[in-house]
Amino acid sequence: QSSMAMKKVLTLVFVREPGRILLGMKKRGFGQGRWNGFGGKVEKGESITDGAKRELLEECGVTAKSLNEVGLINFEFVGDPVILEVHVFDTWDYMNSPVETEEMRPQWYGEKEVPFGEMWPDDEYWFPHMLNGKKFEAYYKFEGMDKILDSWIKEKTEQ
Ligand SMILES: Nc1nc(SCCc2ccccc2)c2[nH]cnc2n1
């Protein structure tokens, strides 16, 4: 047992246009075969925001000029002691059109056409908060990659 909880800090960035959202089809690694935002690990010595901008650029060639904090999600996977602490951002202020990389195949979706059937099962629960511009915190306990055993979500009033 470990008295210190083990956490891995990750980022997730969604590029926005009025009525549309950019998703990426993950081509390898964790979450392969699912549409998602762009993101990954935060490196030592970089801020979470800088890590988010770096992953967005690496994964689809888009440079975010500013990021909005959208939410904070903690994911637990049964049998894995490491909690994933995912910082979710969006950007409306960016440069360059998205391009496909080895990691991700980008595609724009209408906000009413988000392909939840090809995404992580939790997304359909917190996307509406993001799309409505509401900040949120959430927790999802997974068994495997498809089954949610336990969850909660709450909106954050601006501090
Ligand atoms: N939408 C969503 N994303 C993730 S992982 C996001 C963080 C990440 C991790 C590794 C590489 C890139 C990005 C999820 N895990 C469980 N449900 C989930 N939903």
Side-chain angles (χ1 to χ4, degrees):
Q1 81 285 6
S2 151
S3 56
M4 297 291 288
M6 295 197 285
K7 283 213 162 182
K8 190 169 183 183
V9 180
L10 297 161
T11 61
L12 198 53
V13 180
F14 293 91
V15 182
R16 308 284 301 274
E17 289 288 340
R20 300 194 305 164
I21 187 164
L22 186 71
L23 300 175
M25 172 48 72
K26 193 88 169 20
K27 295 163 63 174
R28 64 186 187 190
F30 185 74
Q32 176 173 353
R34 286 179 162 163
W35 294 99
N36 205 349
F38 302 86
K41 291 190 287 293
V42 178
E43 308 295 352
K44 286 187 190 55
E46 80 180 343
S47 70
I48 295 172
T49 305
D50 287 345
K53 289 178 178 177
R54 175 182 52 75
E55 287 285 355
L56 179 66
L57 179 60
E58 285 174 8
E59 292 189 347
C60 74
V62 166
T63 298
K65 289 194 268 186
S66 64
L67 291 178
N68 309 303
E69 285 182 13
V70 162
L72 179 65
I73 310 174
N74 278 284
F75 294 110
E76 182 178 352
F77 291 84
V78 170
D80 184 339
V82 180
I83 303 277
L84 304 186
E85 179 185 286
V86 180
H87 294 254
V88 186
F89 301 91
D90 70 5
T91 181
W92 303 76
D93 178 20
Y94 62 92
M95 295 186 294
N96 307 328
S97 296
V99 295
E100 183 168 354
T101 63
E102 288 181 351
E103 284 285 326
M104 293 290 244
R105 174 165 56 87
Q107 185 165 311
W108 286 102
Y109 282 90
E111 288 181 6
K112 296 183 176 58
E113 279 100 36
V114 172
F116 290 116
E118 297 176 82
M119 297 167 74
W120 285 93
D122 51 286
D123 292 12
E124 69 181 291
Y125 297 107
W126 55 264
F127 254 61
H129 297 266
M130 171 169 66
L131 295 180
N132 294 327
K134 304 284 194 324
K135 268 185 81 169
F136 67 91
E137 279 185 21
Y139 165 77
Y140 297 92
K141 182 177 183 179
F142 273 83
E143 183 168 53
M145 310 289 263
D146 304 318
K147 191 164 191 289
I148 295 171
L149 296 180
D150 197 11
S151 71
W152 53 260
I153 185 163
K154 61 182 175 183
E155 285 198 347
K156 301 297 293 176
T157 50
E158 296 305 323
Q159 56 274 11

